[in-house]
Amino acid sequence: MFLQGFRGTVTDAPDFDASADAETLYNAMKGIGSDKEAILDLVTGRSNAQRQEIVQAYKSSYGKNLIDDLKYELTGKFERLIVSLMRPQAYHDAKEIHDAIKGAGTDEKCLIEVLASRNNQQIHNLVEAYKDAYGSDIEEDVTGDTSGHFKKMLVVLLQGTRDEPGVVHADLVEEDAQALFAAGEEQWGTEESIFIMLLGNRSVNHLQMVFDKYQEIAEKPIEDSIKSELSGDFERLMLAVVQCIRSVPMYFAKRLYKSMKGLGTQDNTLIRIMICRSEIDMLDIRECFRMSYEKSLYNMIKEDTSGDYKRTLLALCGGDDDLAGEFFPEAAQLAYKMWETSATTKVQVRPSALCTDEDVIINIVANRSNEQRQEIRQAFKSILGRDLMKDLKSELSKNLERLIIGLMLTPAEFDAKMMRKAMEGAGTDEHALIEILVTRSNGEIQAMNAAYRAGYKKSMEDAIQSDTSGRFSQILTSLVQGAREQGPADCDRALVDAQELADACNEDSDDMEIKFMSILCTRSFPHLRRVFQEFVRCSNKDIEQIIKKEMSGDVKQAMYGIVRSVKNQSNYFAERLYKAMKGMGTDDRALIRIMVSRSEVDLFNIRKEFKETHDCSLHEFIQVETCFYILHGD
């Protein structure tokens, strides 16, 4: 889906009564003439599922076939539209395919549109409906009427075996992109079977990543390569598949525009799309249409059609985006605003203009939740066909770019990137590794692991082990499993654990570190708090004092970080922020990392701890030391 939630314009009618609706239609068609307005109002005011109930009720009440009666009473394009609305969607698709291949000529554009845009379940339903309606196999009929690579790709699409949405083979993204490049741009002639296999079977999410990687390799979008390497109906089919992978609503917006622009209207296309998308994503298609052509779909239909046919299409459209307040849900509005800002920045040379543009971006990003930012990212790509992250990187500078990009990433992506930054290059930022791993929950660590592997094609555990060593590496490896015990303290076990830690203080340093690691890296935080209380009773010492005195180096810092996080995580972050800003220079990475990662978690508590500890508000401290006060609030 383009945005979350229902995005159609036709929904179930409330207080639905199929028998009453059947009677209304019967009365609208009895006698001389018919009440077309009553028919269109009723039909467009019911969902497809409800229309099927009306068909059954009509037959039960009057012993007649409703669709036959509608065909008899209505005429022309209006009849075609109303009758099509009364068919189940799969049977409508089946009729469109059947009409496209019967007779002397073939409507290749219809075959392309339907088969390139339907998901697996819709394809399966289509195949069954075709068999039921026409008594023949759709694959046999299609292959008998087409040829070459065009036919082969249609057969692949008719299988309905594309990987389901969300299935991404992270280790194959670059390999697939390289395979497409090698099959086309890199050789004389084109290895069409590679294009067919990959574009016909990989999931939407996987192929979106492949297309991004392809552009990096080929230095051009895959559409340009398809246009230069393929030809004819096969080229048009593969372009349609790519466009649907990128954005189904944008694909249909373009199809609708082409069906109405210029002299004459491609009514079959117009009817087919308005019917099949009215209960799926018509709102998104409207947004894409308005964005691409600077006029609403509603107004273009209004100008290009007439009569009852026009009124029915406008009812399916569901509204005029040119009217004030109609155009865009918030995420799409904000995506467009950010695009306008980046486009303006490219032509502005005055510093004051650039500052204003950055203010727009800051105000949008800092005043939206991370979930809303992800909707903006998706809307930006779906509407504009561009990667918002890449645009932001090219338009912003230095630390502001780091901060804004950090906010636009999901929490898991951001943590993965911070771990990567802490380990890349000549030196290792051990403090960052410790800070992240000692403060994240099991779920957050597991999500970070998945994001790291997807983004960097390597497990985070392997990265840690190759960049650290000794006991410190073992501690981090234990934490990165994301398998810390959960639940409340076990009082009896806490006493045993505390005694074992106290006894370990009398052993050599290696044995002591192993025992501390075995308990501090595995027990739940509530349990460890009880352990620390019992430790004081067993040893008359605070565990922090023991760690500071008996341990050293990175092991000491890791153990200390765990203890501080267990005792008071907000205070731990407050201290990390203070150290990032005090003295000469600012540790901008640490500051950005904490402000971004905690802004929707516990920043309010961190502010409180900062104020109590340093007798100065975090807001004031940031204002004095940096320009990063946008996340803090008042």
Side-chain angles (χ1 to χ4, degrees), residues 189-206:
T190 305
E191 183 57 60
E192 289 87 351
S193 62
I194 299 296
F195 279 78
I196 291 172
M197 188 274 289
L198 293 177
L199 270 62
N201 290 283
R202 298 287 197 249
S203 75
V204 169
N205 305 89
H206 181 90

Side-chain angles (χ1 to χ4, degrees), residues 454-473:
Y456 306 111
K457 311 301 182 291
K458 182 179 184 180
S459 78
M460 193 152 58
E461 181 179 337
D462 288 345
I464 286 171
Q465 290 177 347
S466 65
D467 205 64
T468 58
S469 59
R471 188 79 64 223
F472 180 58
S473 183

